Amino acid sequence: MFHQACRFEEPAKKQKKSRPGPRERIMEKALELFYEQGYKATGINQIIAEADVAKASFYSHFKSKEALCEAYLSEMNETLITSLQRSMSESDPESRLRAYIDKGDEFMQTTAYRGCAFMNFIAEVPDAPESMHSIVLKNRAETIEILAETVKELNQERSEEARVDPELLAKIVLVIVFGAKTASQTFRSGWPFEIAHEILNQFLDYPATSS
């Protein structure tokens, strides 16, 4: 579900005629099961069975479930950042910031309010090894960087008095969207993202500056 929700934005591609290789099938199944069932509830044997690969083939690609999870998190990060870069490469800067909010709303609806894969993982595995947690932090850092670059562009269109601190506003937008995702997951509704737009309006009208 997660991977499908991200892939709907990608340009149409010709379907491969050949069957995906073992590693690709394992990854596809891990992306599906870890997201829908959770990391702890998903066993290697289920992945092997549903990916239709031999156990020896699985271990030739991944030494353990933990190694597979690291690959899963890395794949999620690459998919999300690529999708974000694509959605933030068009229109004016303010519209791109708003598109980030709308993208969160669309993602939540497409996944039936299952929630953010990274947030779900951290909540489920709060004591995740540093090798896993660092991938989540990498995603957040790259997201903030992309948003901050957009704010810098926005500043070029504003008077000096109306300019905002790029990194601070980027972090604010990130937190707004995270909060909207959590609320929409609870209420199973998109109205929290409408509130997110209203909050962004306040920060655009009253510039955020670092203390």
Side-chain angles (χ1 to χ4, degrees), residues 89-148:
S89 64
E90 302 176 359
S91 72
D92 62 278
E94 182 175 335
S95 294
R96 297 206 299 272
L97 291 176
R98 297 190 182 284
Y100 178 61
I101 296 175
D102 292 334
K103 178 181 173 60
D105 185 12
E106 188 172 10
F107 176 83
M108 292 300 289
Q109 292 185 48
T110 303
T111 59
Y113 299 100
R114 177 67 181 171
C116 170
F118 282 121
M119 293 168 68
N120 290 347
F121 175 76
I122 291 299
E124 182 187 11
V125 193
D127 57 346
E130 178 60 27
S131 58
M132 297 181 187
H133 192 239
S134 63
I135 299 172
V136 179
L137 293 179
K138 181 175 185 290
N139 172 266
R140 300 327 191 195
E142 291 179 351
T143 300
I144 290 171
E145 182 179 354
I146 293 170
L147 293 173

Side-chain angles (χ1 to χ4, degrees), residues 33-172:
L33 296 177
F34 284 162
Y35 182 67
E36 295 184 1
Q37 297 182 174
Y39 173 70
K40 292 183 177 179
T42 302
I44 286 179
N45 289 337
Q46 181 185 7
I47 294 173
I48 289 172
E50 296 195 23
D52 190 24
V53 298
K55 183 170 290 190
S57 181
F58 175 92
Y59 284 106
S60 70
H61 294 288
F62 304 100
K63 295 185 295 183
S64 63
K65 181 181 177 181
E66 290 73 18
L68 175 60
C69 185
E70 289 181 21
Y72 157 74
L73 294 171
S74 294
E75 177 76 8
M76 283 200 301
N77 179 52
E78 182 178 346
T79 299
L80 288 170
I81 293 300
T82 298
S83 179
L84 177 59
Q85 289 173 327
R86 184 179 299 115
S87 67
M88 300 288 279
S89 64
E90 302 176 359
S91 72
D92 62 278
E94 182 175 335
S95 294
R96 297 206 299 272
L97 291 176
R98 297 190 182 284
Y100 178 61
I101 296 175
D102 292 334
K103 178 181 173 60
D105 185 12
E106 188 172 10
F107 176 83
M108 292 300 289
Q109 292 185 48
T110 303
T111 59
Y113 299 100
R114 177 67 181 171
C116 170
F118 282 121
M119 293 168 68
N120 290 347
F121 175 76
I122 291 299
E124 182 187 11
V125 193
D127 57 346
E130 178 60 27
S131 58
M132 297 181 187
H133 192 239
S134 63
I135 299 172
V136 179
L137 293 179
K138 181 175 185 290
N139 172 266
R140 300 327 191 195
E142 291 179 351
T143 300
I144 290 171
E145 182 179 354
I146 293 170
L147 293 173
E149 287 300 317
T150 301
V151 177
K152 289 178 182 178
E153 291 184 44
L154 178 64
N155 280 340
Q156 297 300 314
E157 302 176 355
R158 299 162 71 97
S159 65
E160 185 173 350
E161 295 76 15
R163 290 176 182 174
V164 296
D165 181 287
E167 184 175 355
L168 178 58
L169 184 57
K171 290 179 178 178
I172 288 172

